Amino acid sequence: AQSVAQPEDQVNVAEGNPLTVKCTYSVSGNPYLFWYVQYPNRGLQFLLKYITGDNLVKGSYGFEAEFNKSQTSFHLKKPSALVSDSALYFCAVSSGTYKYIFGTGTRLKVLA
Amino acid sequence: DADVTQTPRNRITKTGKRIMLECSQTKGHDRMYWYRQDPGLGLRLIYYSFDVKDINKGEISDGYSVSRQAQAKFSLSLESAIPNQTALYFCATSEDRTGGLTDTQYFGPGTRLTVL
C-alpha cells in the first residue's frame, strides 16, 4: 500500500534558525511528491513538488525540499525561518492517475 | 484562493438534514475533487471528477453524493447529515497536464460544517 508519514505533529523553531519538516513515503513505483501549506482559515497552497531530476527542489517563499530515494524521504527545509511561516504543512504522494495521499500534517511554530 | 470558491464557508445543521456544499472554479480545469479534513487525519478524498460525465468515488464516499453541473461547478451533498460528518471540506482542481500523476492541485478556502 502506498503511504506517506509526517512523524512530527508539531515543530517549534526560533525565528532566523533553519527549519526542517519531515516526510517519508512508501510507494510501489516512481514517487511524485508534494508539499502544501495551510494558513489559518485558508485552503491548502502548493509549495513545491518533486517529479524527476535534481534531488533538491526549490519552491515558493524560500522553501526547498530534498528527495532522498535511499531513505524514502522528502523533507521540507528553509535556511532562515520567519514568524509568518507558522502554519500547517502537508506532504503528499501521488498515487495512480488521480489520487493524492496526504500525510497527517505538521504544525510549524516559529517563535519570535 | 479566489480562483476556486466554496459556499457556504461555515454551516451548522442538525442530524438528518440534507446539505449541499458548492464549489466553483475559474481556472478552466477539467479535474475537480472533494476532500474532508479532520484533525490528525490529514485530507481524505471523497469524490473526484475528470470531466462533466466522469465522476468517481474516493476513499470515503459513503454518506455523500456529488453533482458536476458544468466544467466549473462541482457540488457535494450530504443526503442525511450525521455528527461524524462534522469536518472541514475542501474542493480542489487540477489541470491534467500529465495524466494526473504530477498535477498540482489548487484548493478552495474550505467549508466548515458542523452537524449537531
Side-chain angles (χ1 to χ4, degrees), chain A residues 36 38 43 49 94 96-97 100, chain B residues 31 37 90 101-103 105 108:
Chain A
Y36 286 81
Q38 184 181 23
K49 64 182 174 184
S94 180
T97 59
Y100 278 26
Chain B
R31 297 188 171 204
Q37 182 182 15
F90 287 105
L101 283 172
T102 62
D103 292 343
Q105 294 198 1

Side-chain angles (χ1 to χ4, degrees), chain B residues 1-68:
Chain B
D1 291 8
D3 296 329
V4 184
T5 57
Q6 293 183 234
T7 55
R9 294 293 310 277
N10 289 282
R11 183 72 183 267
I12 300 174
T13 191
K14 294 182 178 180
T15 297
K17 295 291 188 181
R18 184 177 188 273
I19 295 296
M20 178 180 287
L21 309 182
E22 298 186 339
C23 176
S24 295
Q25 54 113 346
T26 59
K27 299 189 78 67
H29 292 168
D30 285 326
R31 297 188 171 204
M32 298 186 73
Y33 311 79
W34 276 105
Y35 292 91
R36 64 176 280 175
Q37 182 182 15
D38 298 278
L41 294 179
L43 276 75
R44 293 179 291 166
L45 183 64
I46 306 172
Y47 270 93
Y48 63 101
S49 170
F50 286 172
D51 63 38
V52 175
K53 298 180 181 178
D54 185 3
I55 294 177
N56 304 277
K57 293 182 178 180
E59 58 180 313
I60 54 163
S61 59
D62 287 349
Y64 301 95
S65 62
V66 291
S67 173
R68 184 80 183 267

Side-chain angles (χ1 to χ4, degrees), chain A residues 33-86:
Chain A
L33 296 152
F34 303 78
W35 276 103
Y36 286 81
V37 60
Q38 184 181 23
Y39 297 103
N41 300 314
R42 301 285 299 275
L44 277 69
Q45 297 177 29
F46 170 74
L47 279 178
L48 51 80
K49 64 182 174 184
Y50 171 81
I51 306 303
T52 187
D54 194 345
N55 289 344
L56 185 64
V57 180
K58 293 189 182 296
S60 306
Y61 313 121
F63 284 93
E64 58 189 26
E66 185 169 11
F67 171 65
N68 188 317
K69 187 173 183 178
S70 63
Q71 297 186 5
T72 61
S73 67
F74 190 57
H75 301 331
L76 182 70
K77 299 182 180 183
K78 188 173 182 181
S80 178
L82 300 173
V83 172
S84 57
D85 292 330
S86 298

Side-chain angles (χ1 to χ4, degrees), chain B residues 69-82:
Chain B
Q69 301 94 325
Q71 186 206 35
K73 295 185 182 295
F74 192 34
S75 300
L76 176 71
S77 293
L78 286 67
E79 299 302 326
S80 180
I82 56 177

